Amino acid sequence: MSKVKVGVVGYGVIGQRLADGVVRQGDMELVGIADVAPTLALRALAEKGMPYKLYCANPDNIPQMEAAGIPVTGTADDLLDQVDIVLDATSAGVGRKNKEIYQKRGLKAVFQGGEKNDVADVFFHGYANYEKGLGKDYLKLTSCNTTGLIRAVDCLDRLVGIERVVVTIVRRSADPGDTHRGVVDLALVEPVPNHQAKDLMLIMPHIEATGLLVHVPTTHGHIISILATPKKSISKEEVLAAFNAHPRIRVVRITDGFNSNTALFRYARDLGNPRGDMYEIAVFEETITFSGNNIFFTISVPQEAVVTPETMDAIRASLMMQATREEAVAMTNKYLGLK
Amino acid sequence: MSKVKVGVVGYGVIGQRLADGVVRQGDMELVGIADVAPTLALRALAEKGMPYKLYCANPDNIPQMEAAGIPVTGTADDLLDQVDIVLDATSAGVGRKNKEIYQKRGLKAVFQGGEKNDVADVFFHGYANYEKGLGKDYLKLTSCNTTGLIRAVDCLDRLVGIERVVVTIVRRSADPGDTHRGVVDLALVEPVPNHQAKDLMLIMPHIEATGLLVHVPTTHGHIISILATPKKSISKEEVLAAFNAHPRIRVVRITDGFNSNTALFRYARDLGNPRGDMYEIAVFEETITFSGNNIFFTISVPQEAVVTPETMDAIRASLMMQATREEAVAMTNKYLGLK
Amino acid sequence: MSKVKVGVVGYGVIGQRLADGVVRQGDMELVGIADVAPTLALRALAEKGMPYKLYCANPDNIPQMEAAGIPVTGTADDLLDQVDIVLDATSAGVGRKNKEIYQKRGLKAVFQGGEKNDVADVFFHGYANYEKGLGKDYLKLTSCNTTGLIRAVDCLDRLVGIERVVVTIVRRSADPGDTHRGVVDLALVEPVPNHQAKDLMLIMPHIEATGLLVHVPTTHGHIISILATPKKSISKEEVLAAFNAHPRIRVVRITDGFNSNTALFRYARDLGNPRGDMYEIAVFEETITFSGNNIFFTISVPQEAVVTPETMDAIRASLMMQATREEAVAMTNKYLGLK
Amino acid sequence: MSKVKVGVVGYGVIGQRLADGVVRQGDMELVGIADVAPTLALRALAEKGMPYKLYCANPDNIPQMEAAGIPVTGTADDLLDQVDIVLDATSAGVGRKNKEIYQKRGLKAVFQGGEKNDVADVFFHGYANYEKGLGKDYLKLTSCNTTGLIRAVDCLDRLVGIERVVVTIVRRSADPGDTHRGVVDLALVEPVPNHQAKDLMLIMPHIEATGLLVHVPTTHGHIISILATPKKSISKEEVLAAFNAHPRIRVVRITDGFNSNTALFRYARDLGNPRGDMYEIAVFEETITFSGNNIFFTISVPQEAVVTPETMDAIRASLMMQATREEAVAMTNKYLGLK
């Protein structure tokens, strides 16, 4: 069976990981990536020997790229000519402009969380609403912390039914190496509800959600406390079993040393994972408790790689590679080595 | 009427502020402070011209202090001879040893949150359980973030009755200038429930509490999200009115620029407050919302000065200066300029 | 003798401190300040009871300011009508536009380090080139870390003659409370030479200077190591004596606890200094040493307040209040309580 | 030819990387590692399928390790029975105690920078004094930032002869994930000279060195500015050529995006390096300049992995695997893929 042909436009923190993810999918082919300038990400790609092809999104910059020792295979148009679907991982706002190009070509595309919702036909999460994405031309993924949050809430929702959630998100304010954003010695509070709660309600409209967003001086993941009101009573063992059974959730113990976002990052590095990435969110076992009937627990979301699995799911939905959520996520998980 | 005579033992971050607080109480006299070594806090006191007297808790160090230009009035024993009550603000664990000395002298004492609870006859919060402290010899204050948390919860509890609270505490991991603790690029998670929730239940046993504690790389205050389940329905306006009416709570707006713990610290500096301190906790107005029937809101707790008012209340309780909570906190508030 | 009338335009981190500094000068009168919007700085001023008058630089915003409880005395034009000189502490680039207004009025002005050098007739430092500013209409101060650096280098230069300096500046990347800049878990390196070395050579053209600038995640001051090549040999005692004799330099000992920029900030808070500010740079005594003939030492520069004294000097130069550097800085120092 | 048998005792940040480094040496065999408790590093090793064998240094903990799913091959004694040399990467102070065990067995050992110098017969750096280590039983490596510093200084010293160096070290205050150390919003200054300058003089006694050490809130590498006084004049091109020719030095350009310690870390992650590590120090090209005759430049030292190559050199010296520095470092470099 021939493989689905995928292109990645934008090779930043997210685009790099989506490209890697596509390469790992046995039923997909990464035709190549496109970017505009000789970034460090492209220099690293060149130093690795170009495991995949680069197309230059701004032909004027081809000489500059080649001067930097980065081989260029063609232009972005050349890439788009060859693919069935584009993963657009450009900076927020650029995807909207790119969409016009994709539309003229009748080309399907998957956008990331930074774009406005109306860029897409459907706001998508592989586990929570896979079927809504089936056959759609333009899908938009949830943002990194919403993706992780929904994974956990969807897991409980399918187990017991969730009516309401209240979240407090302790957000990393920059990615490692960022110099254009970040806070120093400050916990920045945004008005309630945060966009993650609103986004959760768009994906899971039967749940009432609200929450606080706090930006802090860290770079290695978001910490989210979640209070979820179930439709019926449930035991801690059942909650734990459900999390343990989820291929994209890793249950960890604080007493074992998994005491922070950064301990998880360090562990992923020590595992030998490429870029030190982890696809799974972590649930800290010792944080699972109850307040009245409500389930209270805390997760860590590795912001750099967490959206990769659900983006692979989005390709499957848009191209109708699998008809059901169960089949689709199982395929993605298998290829990414999740459980 | 003669003033109550107070001594402060331990002149660190907390002790400095307690001493300042006693000086401001019109019905108390700060006899002096005691400490063991020529710290920067003592050097600053000397450079200011010794607004109050220093007694040396380790007589061997008197020459060292005097060599540093810090005038010493006598020994700690000399201080204890003169006072009606001691505010012990020594490092955690030292207070317990000091208690033996106070007991031999039949001297009353107030301990800080770092000591174990059993050091004292009563675990005390000026607003939540003043009457329990009346006439007691040994009182222990709640820790800084518990003090701030209880202020807010007690405010709502008296308004409408609170059954349950769930808190997420984003804790500063060091005070400004600390070099013996602190985390870098890391959000450290502790097992649930945190000690603040447990402490809240000791002070307010009719409330069921749980919560998460996250340590982050900041120094200027704790951020706490609070979900409180009231006994009956209440409006946002009523919640806001109650917070606005509380002399130790300052309602602020994110849209005005009060968007973080550090914005509040900066504001306190700009107000000209001594040491840039603030006694009030802040409630961020745009964080007040409801989840179902539950009230959700977020506060900032200035960890350095927040316990000062409740410690003044503790003196009033122990020495039975005022018979009721209302009278006592009103007196403390008046002298500290709170509302 | 009538006082010189001064206005401060721009009431941010620097403008606040310049206004406070003018108020302390016995031979100057602060007519008022001007700003455009109801910032936290203005709210704090209002809460303090408006110790000085506010003029609104954008008349459209007067209703907004008054709604925020901030009394407005008039427009910026009203302020400019009354003053002999303006201290322009607006954001970088705004001062240049404002200059046109000042020029039309024939009004003298002092700009801060953020402006381009050509905004002014002379690039000014009170200790290093006071006489160059005499009678000039437009002066520009050196930036915060250059101001501190030049203080130390000028001190040695007058003592022994300095030929060359090499500096490494460990720069705070945000002020306390800033959310628009700052780095997380990163030491950002700029190309050599840094602008501070270039600026030093503009002020002190007989010295050859170069240096490195590293931005780090701190907010409480710059740390600068300085290697200075003297024209003749000198002892550590002579260096120390010169620093100790300088009213705007505070020699501190690491062993006493002055081990960081933030220890100094904490000390200034504990001294009771308004806003926890310090005008002096600090020299860490245990960092003074020699490499060959060269003097090596390290200073800490409190970025928020350090330019206040030299800005006062600039007023004195522009209005020819004192004919010599010695007289001018002595007057500024006296009023600011320096030595 | 049979391979040299190596054991690694202590499997923390450094021990992990030494073990990986030994595995890559074609003429060495990693017999196994030893550690005392089921750390995250061991859990990661187990999750990877135990690419090398674990020996338990505390037999009482074997059940605990096995309960954690970590297979144990034997005791530390079993490991020591089989090896020609031990790399001791235990916590500072433990190596000294372990040495007694090694001595009783007549077993050679290489200690890391945290141990006191007198634990070893020679204080060692592969490039700077390889020959001194030849045949010695006990060698101690320089610490991470001294190792990087000496690499750069040795490179220039062999080129032109260096008389004097002055360094300013901006030190990361914790490794990623550390919770037992770290500073928040603070640049901590130590007395001059720092231990790195003293250590440099021990290794290179013909050079006079001094320097400042500043601890800052970062985790991804040390930044060091170096002023080196050469014995004769040299051009920037010659300096650059020497650095470029050095297999353990990577010359990078700030304008390409290599603007910080963390940009280098991110690049190493993007290269696909295991654990996101880099063996090379980086020289920032745009920081190379001259002050008078002196060379001024800045390096970044990746603290986690930088000592691995020189530790491999130490094995070669102690076991006299290569007679000369040139042969030894060439072999290490070849196996580690350096140039």
Side-chain angles (χ1 to χ4, degrees):
Chain A
M1 195 184 72
S2 77
K3 293 181 178 185
V4 160
K5 292 179 190 305
V6 184
V8 172
V9 173
Y11 194 66
V13 169
I14 300 298
Q16 288 175 293
R17 287 155 176 91
L18 298 185
D20 293 353
V22 170
V23 166
R24 296 181 68 172
Q25 304 297 305
D27 50 359
M28 301 183 191
E29 178 194 342
L30 180 69
V31 178
I33 60 156
D35 210 332
V36 294
T39 60
L40 289 192
L42 291 183
R43 289 175 191 271
L45 193 69
E47 188 167 337
K48 281 191 285 192
M50 300 302 289
Y52 32 76
K53 290 177 184 163
L54 167 65
Y55 296 82
C56 189
N58 182 344
D60 293 348
N61 290 347
I62 292 179
Q64 190 192 356
M65 282 187 175
E66 291 182 338
I70 305 167
V72 179
T73 296
T75 65
D77 275 343
D78 298 334
L79 175 63
L80 300 185
D81 283 347
Q82 305 172 61
V83 300
D84 300 315
I85 193 166
V86 172
L87 303 183
D88 189 297
T90 54
S91 305
V94 177
R96 171 177 298 276
K97 292 176 196 154
N98 287 348
K99 186 186 174 184
E100 297 173 22
I101 298 167
Y102 308 146
Q103 280 180 312
K104 279 186 193 152
R105 290 173 164 272
L107 192 55
K108 286 167 180 272
V110 177
F111 299 93
Q112 290 298 312
E115 292 300 317
K116 293 253 167 72
N117 284 348
D118 63 4
V119 76
D121 304 321
V122 61
F123 190 32
F124 182 84
H125 188 283
Y127 266 78
N129 69 355
Y130 179 81
E131 286 80 2
K132 287 213 173 162
L134 277 172
K136 290 294 191 314
D137 288 340
Y138 300 104
L139 291 80
K140 195 198 101 157
L141 266 285
T142 47
S143 69
C144 54
N145 39 40
T146 311
T147 299
L149 170 62
I150 290 179
R151 262 191 217 164
V153 172
D154 170 78
C155 175
L156 295 182
D157 190 41
R158 292 180 188 271
L159 179 68
V160 70
I162 295 297
E163 287 183 353
R164 257 196 333 265
V165 300
V166 181
V167 301
T168 298
I169 303 183
V170 181
R171 185 189 195 280
R172 68 88 183 89
S173 60
D175 284 325
D178 278 354
T179 58
H180 65 291
R181 58 177 171 177
V183 294
V184 185
D185 196 357
L186 187 140
L188 181 68
V189 175
E190 292 200 14
V192 168
N194 52 30
H195 83 82
Q196 292 84 359
K198 293 183 206 165
D199 286 356
L200 184 145
M201 288 191 284
L202 289 174
I203 299 279
M204 308 178 85
H206 58 289
I207 294 180
E208 180 198 333
T210 192
L212 174 73
L213 184 62
V214 184
H215 304 245
V216 301
T218 64
T219 72
H220 297 306
H222 310 295
I223 298 290
I224 311 183
S225 74
I226 303 168
L227 186 81
T229 304
K231 288 191 175 151
K232 55 181 182 183
S233 197
I234 187 173
S235 72
K236 178 169 174 178
E237 288 64 36
E238 288 170 295
V239 169
L240 202 47
F243 287 149
N244 268 314
H246 197 298
R248 298 185 191 168
I249 297 178
R250 178 183 278 261
V251 177
V252 298
R253 286 196 201 89
I254 295 171
T255 49
D256 287 346
F258 294 104
N259 57 14
S260 61
N261 52 354
T262 310
L264 285 154
F265 174 64
R266 179 166 165 171
Y267 188 77
R269 294 173 66 196
D270 289 348
L271 277 182
N273 289 0
R275 307 184 203 271
D277 282 346
M278 192 172 276
Y279 294 129
E280 303 103 307
I281 61 167
V283 171
F284 299 98
E285 184 172 328
E286 297 98 326
T287 65
I288 306 175
T289 191
F290 291 88
S291 170
N293 191 38
N294 306 291
I295 310 161
F296 186 59
F297 64 104
T298 296
I299 64 174
S300 180
V301 179
Q303 84 278 358
E304 296 169 303
V306 72
V307 296
T308 302
E310 275 78 359
T311 305
M312 300 301 107
D313 300 338
I315 298 171
R316 299 182 181 284
S318 176
L319 295 175
M320 295 193 285
M321 296 172 71
Q322 283 83 27
T324 69
R325 163 189 179 274
E326 286 74 12
E327 292 168 289
V329 301
M331 203 60 78
T332 297
N333 292 343
K334 184 185 78 171
Y335 289 128
L336 293 180
L338 293 166
K339 283 268 167 70
Chain B
M1 194 186 72
S2 78
K3 294 181 178 184
V4 159
K5 292 180 190 304
V6 183
V8 172
V9 172
Y11 194 67
V13 169
I14 301 298
Q16 288 176 291
R17 286 155 176 91
L18 297 185
D20 293 352
V22 170
V23 167
R24 296 181 69 172
Q25 305 297 305
D27 49 0
M28 300 182 191
E29 178 194 339
L30 180 70
V31 176
I33 60 158
D35 210 331
V36 293
T39 61
L40 290 193
L42 291 183
R43 289 175 192 271
L45 193 69
E47 188 167 336
K48 281 191 285 193
M50 300 302 289
Y52 33 76
K53 289 177 184 164
L54 167 67
Y55 296 82
C56 189
N58 182 343
D60 293 348
N61 291 346
I62 292 179
Q64 190 190 355
M65 283 188 176
E66 291 182 337
I70 304 167
V72 178
T73 296
T75 66
D77 274 344
D78 297 333
L79 174 63
L80 300 185
D81 282 347
Q82 305 172 62
V83 300
D84 299 314
I85 193 165
V86 172
L87 303 183
D88 188 298
T90 55
S91 306
V94 178
R96 171 177 301 275
K97 292 175 197 155
N98 287 348
K99 186 186 173 184
E100 297 173 22
I101 298 167
Y102 308 146
Q103 281 181 309
K104 280 184 193 153
R105 290 173 164 272
L107 192 55
K108 287 167 179 271
V110 177
F111 299 93
Q112 290 298 312
E115 292 300 317
K116 294 252 168 72
N117 284 347
D118 63 3
V119 76
D121 305 320
V122 62
F123 191 30
F124 181 84
H125 188 284
Y127 267 78
N129 70 354
Y130 179 82
E131 285 81 2
K132 288 212 172 162
L134 277 171
K136 290 294 191 313
D137 287 340
Y138 300 104
L139 290 80
K140 195 198 101 158
L141 266 286
T142 48
S143 70
C144 54
N145 40 39
T146 311
T147 299
L149 170 61
I150 290 179
R151 261 191 218 165
V153 172
D154 170 77
C155 175
L156 294 182
D157 189 41
R158 291 181 188 270
L159 179 68
V160 69
I162 296 296
E163 287 183 351
R164 255 193 338 262
V165 300
V166 181
V167 300
T168 298
I169 303 183
V170 182
R171 184 188 195 281
R172 68 89 183 90
S173 59
D175 284 325
D178 277 355
T179 59
H180 65 292
R181 58 176 172 177
V183 295
V184 185
D185 196 356
L186 187 141
L188 181 69
V189 175
E190 292 200 15
V192 168
N194 51 30
H195 83 81
Q196 292 84 359
K198 293 183 206 164
D199 285 355
L200 184 145
M201 289 190 285
L202 289 175
I203 299 278
M204 309 176 85
H206 59 288
I207 295 181
E208 180 197 333
T210 192
L212 174 72
L213 183 63
V214 185
H215 304 245
V216 301
T218 63
T219 71
H220 297 306
H222 311 295
I223 298 289
I224 311 182
S225 74
I226 303 168
L227 186 81
T229 304
K231 288 191 175 150
K232 56 180 182 183
S233 198
I234 186 174
S235 72
K236 179 169 174 179
E237 287 65 35
E238 289 171 294
V239 170
L240 202 47
F243 287 149
N244 268 314
H246 197 297
R248 296 184 192 171
I249 297 178
R250 178 183 278 260
V251 177
V252 297
R253 286 195 199 90
I254 295 171
T255 48
D256 287 346
F258 293 103
N259 57 14
S260 62
N261 50 355
T262 310
L264 284 153
F265 174 62
R266 180 166 164 171
Y267 188 78
R269 294 173 67 197
D270 290 347
L271 277 182
N273 289 0
R275 307 183 202 272
D277 282 345
M278 193 173 275
Y279 294 128
E280 303 103 309
I281 61 167
V283 171
F284 299 98
E285 184 173 328
E286 297 97 326
T287 65
I288 305 175
T289 190
F290 290 88
S291 170
N293 190 38
N294 306 291
I295 311 162
F296 187 58
F297 64 103
T298 297
I299 64 173
S300 181
V301 179
Q303 83 278 359
E304 297 168 303
V306 72
V307 296
T308 302
E310 275 79 358
T311 305
M312 299 303 108
D313 300 339
I315 298 170
R316 298 181 182 284
S318 176
L319 295 176
M320 295 193 285
M321 296 172 70
Q322 284 82 27
T324 69
R325 165 190 178 273
E326 286 74 11
E327 292 169 289
V329 301
M331 203 60 78
T332 298
N333 293 342
K334 183 185 79 171
Y335 288 128
L336 294 180
L338 293 166
K339 284 269 165 68
Chain C
M1 194 185 72
S2 77
K3 294 181 177 184
V4 160
K5 292 177 190 306
V6 185
V8 172
V9 172
Y11 194 67
V13 169
I14 300 300
Q16 287 176 293
R17 287 155 175 90
L18 298 185
D20 293 352
V22 170
V23 167
R24 296 181 68 172
Q25 304 296 306
D27 49 0
M28 300 182 192
E29 177 194 341
L30 180 70
V31 177
I33 60 158
D35 210 331
V36 294
T39 61
L40 290 193
L42 292 183
R43 289 174 192 271
L45 194 68
E47 188 167 336
K48 281 190 284 192
M50 300 301 289
Y52 32 75
K53 289 177 185 166
L54 166 66
Y55 296 82
C56 188
N58 182 343
D60 293 348
N61 291 346
I62 293 179
Q64 191 191 356
M65 283 186 174
E66 292 183 337
I70 305 167
V72 179
T73 297
T75 67
D77 275 344
D78 297 333
L79 175 64
L80 300 185
D81 282 347
Q82 304 172 62
V83 300
D84 299 316
I85 193 165
V86 171
L87 304 183
D88 190 298
T90 54
S91 305
V94 177
R96 171 176 298 277
K97 292 175 196 156
N98 287 348
K99 187 186 174 185
E100 295 173 23
I101 297 166
Y102 308 146
Q103 280 179 312
K104 279 185 193 154
R105 289 174 165 274
L107 192 56
K108 287 168 179 272
V110 177
F111 299 94
Q112 291 298 312
E115 293 299 317
K116 295 252 168 73
N117 284 347
D118 63 5
V119 76
D121 304 320
V122 62
F123 190 31
F124 182 84
H125 188 284
Y127 267 79
N129 71 352
Y130 179 82
E131 286 79 3
K132 289 214 171 160
L134 277 171
K136 290 294 191 313
D137 288 340
Y138 300 104
L139 290 81
K140 194 197 100 157
L141 266 285
T142 47
S143 70
C144 54
N145 41 39
T146 312
T147 298
L149 170 62
I150 290 179
R151 262 191 218 164
V153 172
D154 170 79
C155 174
L156 295 182
D157 189 42
R158 292 180 187 271
L159 179 70
V160 70
I162 296 298
E163 286 183 353
R164 251 191 344 261
V165 300
V166 181
V167 300
T168 298
I169 303 184
V170 181
R171 184 189 195 280
R172 67 89 182 91
S173 59
D175 284 325
D178 277 355
T179 59
H180 65 291
R181 58 177 172 178
V183 295
V184 185
D185 196 355
L186 187 140
L188 181 69
V189 175
E190 291 200 14
V192 168
N194 52 29
H195 83 82
Q196 292 83 0
K198 293 184 207 165
D199 285 355
L200 184 146
M201 289 190 284
L202 289 174
I203 299 278
M204 308 178 84
H206 58 287
I207 295 181
E208 180 198 334
T210 192
L212 173 72
L213 184 63
V214 184
H215 303 245
V216 301
T218 63
T219 71
H220 297 306
H222 311 295
I223 298 290
I224 311 182
S225 75
I226 302 167
L227 187 81
T229 305
K231 289 191 174 149
K232 56 180 181 183
S233 198
I234 186 174
S235 72
K236 178 170 175 177
E237 288 64 35
E238 289 170 295
V239 169
L240 202 47
F243 286 149
N244 268 313
H246 198 297
R248 297 184 192 170
I249 297 177
R250 178 184 278 261
V251 177
V252 297
R253 286 194 200 90
I254 295 170
T255 49
D256 287 346
F258 294 104
N259 57 14
S260 63
N261 51 356
T262 310
L264 285 153
F265 173 63
R266 181 166 163 169
Y267 188 77
R269 292 173 67 196
D270 289 347
L271 276 181
N273 289 359
R275 305 183 203 273
D277 283 346
M278 193 174 275
Y279 294 129
E280 304 103 308
I281 62 168
V283 171
F284 299 98
E285 183 172 329
E286 297 98 325
T287 65
I288 306 175
T289 190
F290 291 87
S291 170
N293 191 35
N294 306 290
I295 311 161
F296 186 59
F297 65 103
T298 296
I299 64 173
S300 180
V301 178
Q303 83 278 358
E304 297 168 302
V306 72
V307 297
T308 302
E310 275 77 358
T311 304
M312 300 301 107
D313 300 338
I315 297 171
R316 300 182 180 285
S318 177
L319 295 176
M320 294 195 286
M321 295 172 70
Q322 283 82 28
T324 69
R325 164 190 179 276
E326 286 75 10
E327 291 168 289
V329 301
M331 203 60 78
T332 298
N333 293 343
K334 185 185 77 171
Y335 288 128
L336 294 180
L338 294 166
K339 283 271 165 66
Chain D
M1 196 185 71
S2 76
K3 294 180 178 184
V4 160
K5 293 179 190 304
V6 184
V8 172
V9 173
Y11 194 66
V13 169
I14 300 299
Q16 288 176 292
R17 287 154 175 90
L18 298 185
D20 294 351
V22 171
V23 167
R24 297 181 67 172
Q25 305 296 306
D27 50 359
M28 300 183 191
E29 176 195 341
L30 180 69
V31 177
I33 61 159
D35 210 331
V36 293
T39 61
L40 290 193
L42 291 183
R43 289 174 192 270
L45 194 68
E47 188 168 336
K48 282 191 284 192
M50 299 303 288
Y52 31 76
K53 290 177 185 164
L54 167 65
Y55 296 82
C56 188
N58 183 344
D60 293 347
N61 291 346
I62 292 180
Q64 190 191 357
M65 283 186 175
E66 292 182 336
I70 305 167
V72 178
T73 297
T75 66
D77 274 344
D78 298 333
L79 174 63
L80 300 185
D81 281 348
Q82 305 172 60
V83 301
D84 300 315
I85 192 165
V86 172
L87 304 183
D88 189 298
T90 53
S91 306
V94 177
R96 170 177 299 274
K97 292 176 197 156
N98 287 346
K99 186 186 174 185
E100 295 173 23
I101 298 166
Y102 308 146
Q103 280 180 311
K104 280 185 193 154
R105 290 172 164 274
L107 192 55
K108 287 168 180 272
V110 177
F111 299 93
Q112 291 299 312
E115 292 299 317
K116 294 253 167 72
N117 283 348
D118 62 5
V119 76
D121 304 321
V122 61
F123 191 30
F124 182 83
H125 188 284
Y127 267 78
N129 70 353
Y130 179 82
E131 286 80 1
K132 289 215 171 161
L134 277 171
K136 289 294 191 314
D137 288 339
Y138 300 104
L139 290 80
K140 195 198 100 157
L141 266 286
T142 47
S143 69
C144 54
N145 41 39
T146 311
T147 299
L149 170 63
I150 289 179
R151 262 192 217 164
V153 172
D154 171 78
C155 175
L156 295 182
D157 189 41
R158 291 180 188 271
L159 179 69
V160 70
I162 296 297
E163 287 183 352
R164 251 190 346 257
V165 301
V166 181
V167 301
T168 298
I169 303 183
V170 181
R171 185 188 194 281
R172 68 88 182 92
S173 59
D175 284 325
D178 277 354
T179 58
H180 63 292
R181 57 178 172 177
V183 295
V184 185
D185 195 356
L186 187 140
L188 181 69
V189 175
E190 291 200 13
V192 169
N194 51 29
H195 84 81
Q196 292 84 359
K198 293 183 207 165
D199 285 355
L200 185 146
M201 289 190 284
L202 289 174
I203 299 277
M204 309 178 85
H206 58 288
I207 294 181
E208 179 198 334
T210 193
L212 174 73
L213 183 62
V214 185
H215 304 246
V216 301
T218 63
T219 71
H220 297 306
H222 311 295
I223 298 289
I224 311 182
S225 75
I226 303 168
L227 186 82
T229 305
K231 287 191 175 149
K232 56 181 182 182
S233 198
I234 186 173
S235 73
K236 178 170 174 178
E237 287 65 35
E238 289 170 294
V239 170
L240 203 47
F243 286 149
N244 268 314
H246 197 298
R248 297 185 192 169
I249 297 178
R250 179 183 276 263
V251 177
V252 297
R253 286 193 201 91
I254 295 170
T255 50
D256 287 346
F258 294 103
N259 57 13
S260 62
N261 50 356
T262 310
L264 285 153
F265 174 63
R266 180 166 164 171
Y267 188 78
R269 293 173 67 196
D270 290 346
L271 278 180
N273 289 1
R275 306 183 204 272
D277 281 347
M278 193 173 275
Y279 294 128
E280 305 103 308
I281 61 167
V283 171
F284 299 97
E285 185 173 328
E286 296 98 326
T287 64
I288 306 174
T289 190
F290 291 88
S291 170
N293 191 37
N294 306 291
I295 311 162
F296 186 59
F297 64 104
T298 296
I299 64 173
S300 181
V301 179
Q303 85 278 359
E304 296 168 304
V306 72
V307 297
T308 301
E310 275 77 357
T311 305
M312 301 301 108
D313 300 339
I315 298 170
R316 300 182 180 285
S318 177
L319 295 176
M320 294 194 286
M321 296 171 70
Q322 284 81 27
T324 69
R325 164 191 178 273
E326 286 75 12
E327 293 168 289
V329 301
M331 203 60 79
T332 298
N333 292 343
K334 184 185 78 170
Y335 288 127
L336 294 180
L338 293 166
K339 285 269 166 69

